Amino acid sequence: MRHSFYEKTARQRLAGLLDPGSFTEFLPPAARALSPHLPLLDLPVAFNDGIIVGSGRLEHRTVLVAAQEGGFMGGALGEVHGAKLTGLLERAREEKPAGVLILADSGGVRLHEANAGLIAASEIIRAMLAVRAAGIPVVTLIGGACGCFGAMGIVARCGDVVIMSEEGRLGMSGPEVIETSAGVEEFDSRDRALVWRTVGGKHRYLLAEANVLVDDDIGAFRRAAVDALARPVSFDLAAVEAEHVRLERRLAKFGACADAPEIWRGMGIARPEELSLMDTAEFLAMANGAAP
Amino acid sequence: VVSSGNLEVFIERAALGGACKVSVDTAVMGFDNVWRAVLEDFFARHTLSDVHISINDMGATPAVVSLRLDQAVEELTGAP
């Protein structure tokens, strides 16, 4: 039976992802690590500041995990929220787990704590790169209702592996932000088909920004996470330079395209209009024959 | 722990000499009487002692508050 990843809370996702009963939380709700900024604005806080961090086991291997709770302020990254994630990554360098899993569900930096949130994002990225440099894989799972945008979009792409469902969305500026700043002619955030074919999992997979595409099923995310930990970590200057060359080529080839199906056609996909309706297995069979 | 987008209830055992304590942090002012009524109803439904309930509220309706409180007690006692 499938259990939707999209519909679950952060705590339910962790329970379904890890070996049963193996999760130990750091800074649980009873520790009351609360945002110092929200009360100044007369806004309520959350006992975990919108993120759960801890350690657990995945197929008997120890992992450190973080899960953002999209239900609290859109999973937005505040100062304490960010410090919990940075602390988890720093702990990984000492404890050397089999990997660090980040279950992202976030619209980006919490605007109520904008500067502190932006600093937190840069601290997360620095800690994340140090973990990778130590040979420990960092895997981001994206399949929640808030997607993974803004600073968290950058964080996700600084890791080793991104696992996504079609329903999960990954990007820099989210659809509403693009519409607000560039106009509805540029991007209609209420056009759901447009949103999903631009920032959804299938397009991100074709662009090689998501490394693994799975069904919206916690079991599928779990299997993909197990596989991801088995991949060798390749993080050196040559890998970064090769990625820059790939991105330059991609921009030269597809930079003028107005919509995703044009890119798909350019990749040699014969009937791009059918792509959005395919199920994951059908899509992967077709996509793995295309050239990004 | 029970949470939702508009209300978070955290229930824990505490040495309160047989009493209960409820802390409410809410974004909405001026509903003291409604909170008191909802909590009186809640304690009429459940017999609790030495329990500390903390609530972070972002404008939940009284019915939702009652539901979340009942769910929190279920989590604590393990009884439906």
Side-chain angles (χ1 to χ4, degrees), chain A residues 224-246:
Chain A
V226 171
D227 292 345
L229 295 187
R231 288 185 182 209
V233 177
S234 66
F235 181 53
D236 54 23
L237 189 58
V240 174
E241 283 176 347
E243 177 69 2
H244 278 253
V245 169
R246 185 184 76 84

Side-chain angles (χ1 to χ4, degrees), chain A residues 7 24 32 82 99-100 104 144 165 190 198 204-205 208 226 233 240 251:
Chain A
E7 294 172 6
T24 307
R32 291 183 165 74
V100 181
S165 63
R190 281 175 299 179
T198 308
R204 294 296 152 190
Y205 182 81
V226 171
V233 177
V240 174
L251 185 63

